[in-house]
mmCIF file with all atom_site columns, all heavy atoms in Angstrom:
data_model
loop_
_atom_site.group_PDB
_atom_site.id
_atom_site.type_symbol
_atom_site.label_atom_id
_atom_site.label_alt_id
_atom_site.label_comp_id
_atom_site.label_asym_id
_atom_site.label_entity_id
_atom_site.label_seq_id
_atom_site.pdbx_PDB_ins_code
_atom_site.Cartn_x
_atom_site.Cartn_y
_atom_site.Cartn_z
_atom_site.occupancy
_atom_site.B_iso_or_equiv
_atom_site.pdbx_formal_charge
_atom_site.auth_seq_id
_atom_site.auth_comp_id
_atom_site.auth_asym_id
_atom_site.auth_atom_id
_atom_site.pdbx_PDB_model_num
ATOM 1   N N   . ARG A 1 49 ? -1.281  14.257 183.755 1.00 0.00 ? 73 ARG A N   1
ATOM 2   C CA  . ARG A 1 49 ? -2.682  14.670 183.856 1.00 0.00 ? 73 ARG A CA  1
ATOM 3   C C   . ARG A 1 49 ? -3.367  14.568 182.489 1.00 0.00 ? 73 ARG A C   1
ATOM 4   O O   . ARG A 1 49 ? -4.477  14.060 182.367 1.00 0.00 ? 73 ARG A O   1
ATOM 5   C CB  . ARG A 1 49 ? -2.794  16.097 184.384 1.00 0.00 ? 73 ARG A CB  1
ATOM 6   C CG  . ARG A 1 49 ? -4.254  16.517 184.634 1.00 0.00 ? 73 ARG A CG  1
ATOM 7   C CD  . ARG A 1 49 ? -4.438  17.998 184.724 1.00 0.00 ? 73 ARG A CD  1
ATOM 8   N NE  . ARG A 1 49 ? -4.174  18.572 183.409 1.00 0.00 ? 73 ARG A NE  1
ATOM 9   C CZ  . ARG A 1 49 ? -3.499  19.679 183.182 1.00 0.00 ? 73 ARG A CZ  1
ATOM 10  N NH1 . ARG A 1 49 ? -2.981  20.365 184.159 1.00 0.00 ? 73 ARG A NH1 1
ATOM 11  N NH2 . ARG A 1 49 ? -3.313  20.132 181.960 1.00 0.00 ? 73 ARG A NH2 1
ATOM 12  N N   . ASP A 1 50 ? -2.677  15.028 181.443 1.00 0.00 ? 74 ASP A N   1
ATOM 13  C CA  . ASP A 1 50 ? -3.236  14.960 180.093 1.00 0.00 ? 74 ASP A CA  1
ATOM 14  C C   . ASP A 1 50 ? -3.471  13.514 179.655 1.00 0.00 ? 74 ASP A C   1
ATOM 15  O O   . ASP A 1 50 ? -4.505  13.186 179.083 1.00 0.00 ? 74 ASP A O   1
ATOM 16  C CB  . ASP A 1 50 ? -2.326  15.671 179.089 1.00 0.00 ? 74 ASP A CB  1
ATOM 17  C CG  . ASP A 1 50 ? -2.290  17.179 179.289 1.00 0.00 ? 74 ASP A CG  1
ATOM 18  O OD1 . ASP A 1 50 ? -3.158  17.717 180.015 1.00 0.00 ? 74 ASP A OD1 1
ATOM 19  O OD2 . ASP A 1 50 ? -1.383  17.826 178.725 1.00 0.00 ? 74 ASP A OD2 1
ATOM 20  N N   . VAL A 1 51 ? -2.506  12.660 179.933 1.00 0.00 ? 75 VAL A N   1
ATOM 21  C CA  . VAL A 1 51 ? -2.646  11.246 179.579 1.00 0.00 ? 75 VAL A CA  1
ATOM 22  C C   . VAL A 1 51 ? -3.808  10.631 180.345 1.00 0.00 ? 75 VAL A C   1
ATOM 23  O O   . VAL A 1 51 ? -4.606  9.866  179.779 1.00 0.00 ? 75 VAL A O   1
ATOM 24  C CB  . VAL A 1 51 ? -1.328  10.478 179.846 1.00 0.00 ? 75 VAL A CB  1
ATOM 25  C CG1 . VAL A 1 51 ? -1.530  8.979  179.788 1.00 0.00 ? 75 VAL A CG1 1
ATOM 26  C CG2 . VAL A 1 51 ? -0.258  10.908 178.864 1.00 0.00 ? 75 VAL A CG2 1
ATOM 27  N N   . TYR A 1 52 ? -3.942  10.955 181.619 1.00 0.00 ? 76 TYR A N   1
ATOM 28  C CA  . TYR A 1 52 ? -5.047  10.449 182.425 1.00 0.00 ? 76 TYR A CA  1
ATOM 29  C C   . TYR A 1 52 ? -6.383  10.869 181.819 1.00 0.00 ? 76 TYR A C   1
ATOM 30  O O   . TYR A 1 52 ? -7.313  10.053 181.710 1.00 0.00 ? 76 TYR A O   1
ATOM 31  C CB  . TYR A 1 52 ? -4.926  10.962 183.866 1.00 0.00 ? 76 TYR A CB  1
ATOM 32  C CG  . TYR A 1 52 ? -6.119  10.636 184.710 1.00 0.00 ? 76 TYR A CG  1
ATOM 33  C CD1 . TYR A 1 52 ? -6.276  9.361  185.270 1.00 0.00 ? 76 TYR A CD1 1
ATOM 34  C CD2 . TYR A 1 52 ? -7.109  11.585 184.962 1.00 0.00 ? 76 TYR A CD2 1
ATOM 35  C CE1 . TYR A 1 52 ? -7.390  9.056  186.036 1.00 0.00 ? 76 TYR A CE1 1
ATOM 36  C CE2 . TYR A 1 52 ? -8.222  11.284 185.721 1.00 0.00 ? 76 TYR A CE2 1
ATOM 37  C CZ  . TYR A 1 52 ? -8.352  10.023 186.262 1.00 0.00 ? 76 TYR A CZ  1
ATOM 38  O OH  . TYR A 1 52 ? -9.462  9.716  187.013 1.00 0.00 ? 76 TYR A OH  1
ATOM 39  N N   . LEU A 1 53 ? -6.495  12.136 181.400 1.00 0.00 ? 77 LEU A N   1
ATOM 40  C CA  . LEU A 1 53 ? -7.740  12.619 180.808 1.00 0.00 ? 77 LEU A CA  1
ATOM 41  C C   . LEU A 1 53 ? -8.055  11.895 179.494 1.00 0.00 ? 77 LEU A C   1
ATOM 42  O O   . LEU A 1 53 ? -9.211  11.552 179.236 1.00 0.00 ? 77 LEU A O   1
ATOM 43  C CB  . LEU A 1 53 ? -7.670  14.130 180.580 1.00 0.00 ? 77 LEU A CB  1
ATOM 44  C CG  . LEU A 1 53 ? -7.639  14.990 181.841 1.00 0.00 ? 77 LEU A CG  1
ATOM 45  C CD1 . LEU A 1 53 ? -7.403  16.457 181.483 1.00 0.00 ? 77 LEU A CD1 1
ATOM 46  C CD2 . LEU A 1 53 ? -8.922  14.838 182.643 1.00 0.00 ? 77 LEU A CD2 1
ATOM 47  N N   . VAL A 1 54 ? -7.043  11.653 178.683 1.00 0.00 ? 78 VAL A N   1
ATOM 48  C CA  . VAL A 1 54 ? -7.251  10.931 177.430 1.00 0.00 ? 78 VAL A CA  1
ATOM 49  C C   . VAL A 1 54 ? -7.715  9.506  177.720 1.00 0.00 ? 78 VAL A C   1
ATOM 50  O O   . VAL A 1 54 ? -8.650  9.001  177.097 1.00 0.00 ? 78 VAL A O   1
ATOM 51  C CB  . VAL A 1 54 ? -5.972  10.937 176.563 1.00 0.00 ? 78 VAL A CB  1
ATOM 52  C CG1 . VAL A 1 54 ? -6.079  9.953  175.402 1.00 0.00 ? 78 VAL A CG1 1
ATOM 53  C CG2 . VAL A 1 54 ? -5.692  12.333 176.044 1.00 0.00 ? 78 VAL A CG2 1
ATOM 54  N N   . ILE A 1 55 ? -7.077  8.849  178.677 1.00 0.00 ? 79 ILE A N   1
ATOM 55  C CA  . ILE A 1 55 ? -7.449  7.478  179.034 1.00 0.00 ? 79 ILE A CA  1
ATOM 56  C C   . ILE A 1 55 ? -8.892  7.432  179.523 1.00 0.00 ? 79 ILE A C   1
ATOM 57  O O   . ILE A 1 55 ? -9.675  6.565  179.115 1.00 0.00 ? 79 ILE A O   1
ATOM 58  C CB  . ILE A 1 55 ? -6.485  6.900  180.086 1.00 0.00 ? 79 ILE A CB  1
ATOM 59  C CG1 . ILE A 1 55 ? -5.125  6.618  179.452 1.00 0.00 ? 79 ILE A CG1 1
ATOM 60  C CG2 . ILE A 1 55 ? -7.056  5.633  180.719 1.00 0.00 ? 79 ILE A CG2 1
ATOM 61  C CD1 . ILE A 1 55 ? -4.034  6.274  180.439 1.00 0.00 ? 79 ILE A CD1 1
ATOM 62  N N   . GLU A 1 56 ? -9.262  8.360  180.398 1.00 0.00 ? 80 GLU A N   1
ATOM 63  C CA  . GLU A 1 56 ? -10.629 8.390  180.909 1.00 0.00 ? 80 GLU A CA  1
ATOM 64  C C   . GLU A 1 56 ? -11.632 8.646  179.788 1.00 0.00 ? 80 GLU A C   1
ATOM 65  O O   . GLU A 1 56 ? -12.711 8.048  179.752 1.00 0.00 ? 80 GLU A O   1
ATOM 66  C CB  . GLU A 1 56 ? -10.775 9.436  182.015 1.00 0.00 ? 80 GLU A CB  1
ATOM 67  C CG  . GLU A 1 56 ? -10.059 9.059  183.297 1.00 0.00 ? 80 GLU A CG  1
ATOM 68  C CD  . GLU A 1 56 ? -10.506 7.712  183.847 1.00 0.00 ? 80 GLU A CD  1
ATOM 69  O OE1 . GLU A 1 56 ? -11.719 7.495  184.000 1.00 0.00 ? 80 GLU A OE1 1
ATOM 70  O OE2 . GLU A 1 56 ? -9.624  6.868  184.118 1.00 0.00 ? 80 GLU A OE2 1
ATOM 71  N N   . ASP A 1 57 ? -11.280 9.526  178.854 1.00 0.00 ? 81 ASP A N   1
ATOM 72  C CA  . ASP A 1 57 ? -12.156 9.808  177.721 1.00 0.00 ? 81 ASP A CA  1
ATOM 73  C C   . ASP A 1 57 ? -12.330 8.554  176.859 1.00 0.00 ? 81 ASP A C   1
ATOM 74  O O   . ASP A 1 57 ? -13.444 8.233  176.435 1.00 0.00 ? 81 ASP A O   1
ATOM 75  C CB  . ASP A 1 57 ? -11.591 10.960 176.890 1.00 0.00 ? 81 ASP A CB  1
ATOM 76  C CG  . ASP A 1 57 ? -12.494 11.355 175.750 1.00 0.00 ? 81 ASP A CG  1
ATOM 77  O OD1 . ASP A 1 57 ? -13.705 11.595 175.998 1.00 0.00 ? 81 ASP A OD1 1
ATOM 78  O OD2 . ASP A 1 57 ? -12.012 11.425 174.603 1.00 0.00 ? 81 ASP A OD2 1
ATOM 79  N N   . LEU A 1 58 ? -11.237 7.842  176.596 1.00 0.00 ? 82 LEU A N   1
ATOM 80  C CA  . LEU A 1 58 ? -11.321 6.622  175.802 1.00 0.00 ? 82 LEU A CA  1
ATOM 81  C C   . LEU A 1 58 ? -12.138 5.541  176.508 1.00 0.00 ? 82 LEU A C   1
ATOM 82  O O   . LEU A 1 58 ? -12.899 4.816  175.864 1.00 0.00 ? 82 LEU A O   1
ATOM 83  C CB  . LEU A 1 58 ? -9.920  6.100  175.475 1.00 0.00 ? 82 LEU A CB  1
ATOM 84  C CG  . LEU A 1 58 ? -9.123  6.955  174.491 1.00 0.00 ? 82 LEU A CG  1
ATOM 85  C CD1 . LEU A 1 58 ? -7.702  6.417  174.355 1.00 0.00 ? 82 LEU A CD1 1
ATOM 86  C CD2 . LEU A 1 58 ? -9.805  7.009  173.137 1.00 0.00 ? 82 LEU A CD2 1
ATOM 87  N N   . LYS A 1 59 ? -12.012 5.445  177.819 1.00 0.00 ? 83 LYS A N   1
ATOM 88  C CA  . LYS A 1 59 ? -12.821 4.486  178.579 1.00 0.00 ? 83 LYS A CA  1
ATOM 89  C C   . LYS A 1 59 ? -14.299 4.817  178.446 1.00 0.00 ? 83 LYS A C   1
ATOM 90  O O   . LYS A 1 59 ? -15.131 3.933  178.250 1.00 0.00 ? 83 LYS A O   1
ATOM 91  C CB  . LYS A 1 59 ? -12.428 4.496  180.061 1.00 0.00 ? 83 LYS A CB  1
ATOM 92  C CG  . LYS A 1 59 ? -11.149 3.785  180.379 1.00 0.00 ? 83 LYS A CG  1
ATOM 93  C CD  . LYS A 1 59 ? -10.886 3.864  181.870 1.00 0.00 ? 83 LYS A CD  1
ATOM 94  C CE  . LYS A 1 59 ? -9.582  3.266  182.285 1.00 0.00 ? 83 LYS A CE  1
ATOM 95  N NZ  . LYS A 1 59 ? -9.333  3.419  183.732 1.00 0.00 ? 83 LYS A NZ  1
ATOM 96  N N   . GLN A 1 60 ? -14.626 6.095  178.560 1.00 0.00 ? 84 GLN A N   1
ATOM 97  C CA  . GLN A 1 60 ? -16.016 6.521  178.447 1.00 0.00 ? 84 GLN A CA  1
ATOM 98  C C   . GLN A 1 60 ? -16.553 6.229  177.042 1.00 0.00 ? 84 GLN A C   1
ATOM 99  O O   . GLN A 1 60 ? -17.654 5.713  176.890 1.00 0.00 ? 84 GLN A O   1
ATOM 100 C CB  . GLN A 1 60 ? -16.154 8.005  178.753 1.00 0.00 ? 84 GLN A CB  1
ATOM 101 C CG  . GLN A 1 60 ? -17.588 8.495  178.662 1.00 0.00 ? 84 GLN A CG  1
ATOM 102 C CD  . GLN A 1 60 ? -17.714 9.976  178.972 1.00 0.00 ? 84 GLN A CD  1
ATOM 103 O OE1 . GLN A 1 60 ? -16.767 10.600 179.428 1.00 0.00 ? 84 GLN A OE1 1
ATOM 104 N NE2 . GLN A 1 60 ? -18.873 10.516 178.719 1.00 0.00 ? 84 GLN A NE2 1
ATOM 105 N N   . LYS A 1 61 ? -15.770 6.553  176.016 1.00 0.00 ? 85 LYS A N   1
ATOM 106 C CA  . LYS A 1 61 ? -16.201 6.294  174.640 1.00 0.00 ? 85 LYS A CA  1
ATOM 107 C C   . LYS A 1 61 ? -16.371 4.795  174.396 1.00 0.00 ? 85 LYS A C   1
ATOM 108 O O   . LYS A 1 61 ? -17.324 4.370  173.754 1.00 0.00 ? 85 LYS A O   1
ATOM 109 C CB  . LYS A 1 61 ? -15.203 6.878  173.646 1.00 0.00 ? 85 LYS A CB  1
ATOM 110 C CG  . LYS A 1 61 ? -15.302 8.379  173.543 1.00 0.00 ? 85 LYS A CG  1
ATOM 111 C CD  . LYS A 1 61 ? -14.297 8.932  172.570 1.00 0.00 ? 85 LYS A CD  1
ATOM 112 C CE  . LYS A 1 61 ? -14.416 10.446 172.516 1.00 0.00 ? 85 LYS A CE  1
ATOM 113 N NZ  . LYS A 1 61 ? -13.413 11.071 171.697 1.00 0.00 ? 85 LYS A NZ  1
ATOM 114 N N   . ALA A 1 62 ? -15.458 3.990  174.913 1.00 0.00 ? 86 ALA A N   1
ATOM 115 C CA  . ALA A 1 62 ? -15.564 2.539  174.751 1.00 0.00 ? 86 ALA A CA  1
ATOM 116 C C   . ALA A 1 62 ? -16.836 2.029  175.409 1.00 0.00 ? 86 ALA A C   1
ATOM 117 O O   . ALA A 1 62 ? -17.543 1.190  174.858 1.00 0.00 ? 86 ALA A O   1
ATOM 118 C CB  . ALA A 1 62 ? -14.335 1.849  175.345 1.00 0.00 ? 86 ALA A CB  1
ATOM 119 N N   . SER A 1 63 ? -17.140 2.559  176.579 1.00 0.00 ? 87 SER A N   1
ATOM 120 C CA  . SER A 1 63 ? -18.359 2.169  177.279 1.00 0.00 ? 87 SER A CA  1
ATOM 121 C C   . SER A 1 63 ? -19.597 2.564  176.482 1.00 0.00 ? 87 SER A C   1
ATOM 122 O O   . SER A 1 63 ? -20.550 1.794  176.361 1.00 0.00 ? 87 SER A O   1
ATOM 123 C CB  . SER A 1 63 ? -18.381 2.819  178.663 1.00 0.00 ? 87 SER A CB  1
ATOM 124 O OG  . SER A 1 63 ? -19.591 2.536  179.312 1.00 0.00 ? 87 SER A OG  1
ATOM 125 N N   . GLU A 1 64 ? -19.573 3.771  175.922 1.00 0.00 ? 88 GLU A N   1
ATOM 126 C CA  . GLU A 1 64 ? -20.700 4.231  175.110 1.00 0.00 ? 88 GLU A CA  1
ATOM 127 C C   . GLU A 1 64 ? -20.860 3.376  173.860 1.00 0.00 ? 88 GLU A C   1
ATOM 128 O O   . GLU A 1 64 ? -21.975 2.983  173.506 1.00 0.00 ? 88 GLU A O   1
ATOM 129 C CB  . GLU A 1 64 ? -20.512 5.696  174.725 1.00 0.00 ? 88 GLU A CB  1
ATOM 130 C CG  . GLU A 1 64 ? -20.661 6.654  175.886 1.00 0.00 ? 88 GLU A CG  1
ATOM 131 C CD  . GLU A 1 64 ? -20.241 8.072  175.547 1.00 0.00 ? 88 GLU A CD  1
ATOM 132 O OE1 . GLU A 1 64 ? -19.896 8.344  174.365 1.00 0.00 ? 88 GLU A OE1 1
ATOM 133 O OE2 . GLU A 1 64 ? -20.256 8.918  176.461 1.00 0.00 ? 88 GLU A OE2 1
ATOM 134 N N   . TYR A 1 65 ? -19.760 3.078  173.189 1.00 0.00 ? 89 TYR A N   1
ATOM 135 C CA  . TYR A 1 65 ? -19.829 2.245  171.988 1.00 0.00 ? 89 TYR A CA  1
ATOM 136 C C   . TYR A 1 65 ? -20.339 0.852  172.330 1.00 0.00 ? 89 TYR A C   1
ATOM 137 O O   . TYR A 1 65 ? -21.119 0.274  171.590 1.00 0.00 ? 89 TYR A O   1
ATOM 138 C CB  . TYR A 1 65 ? -18.471 2.153  171.300 1.00 0.00 ? 89 TYR A CB  1
ATOM 139 C CG  . TYR A 1 65 ? -18.002 3.437  170.673 1.00 0.00 ? 89 TYR A CG  1
ATOM 140 C CD1 . TYR A 1 65 ? -16.656 3.760  170.630 1.00 0.00 ? 89 TYR A CD1 1
ATOM 141 C CD2 . TYR A 1 65 ? -18.899 4.346  170.108 1.00 0.00 ? 89 TYR A CD2 1
ATOM 142 C CE1 . TYR A 1 65 ? -16.215 4.947  170.048 1.00 0.00 ? 89 TYR A CE1 1
ATOM 143 C CE2 . TYR A 1 65 ? -18.463 5.525  169.529 1.00 0.00 ? 89 TYR A CE2 1
ATOM 144 C CZ  . TYR A 1 65 ? -17.123 5.818  169.508 1.00 0.00 ? 89 TYR A CZ  1
ATOM 145 O OH  . TYR A 1 65 ? -16.687 6.985  168.934 1.00 0.00 ? 89 TYR A OH  1
#
Side-chain angles (χ1 to χ4, degrees):
R73 186 198 67 222
D74 291 346
V75 167
Y76 172 80
L77 292 173
V78 168
I79 288 170
E80 290 304 309
D81 183 52
L82 290 174
K83 284 180 184 177
Q84 181 180 350
K85 285 179 181 175
S87 176
E88 290 170 4
Y89 291 147

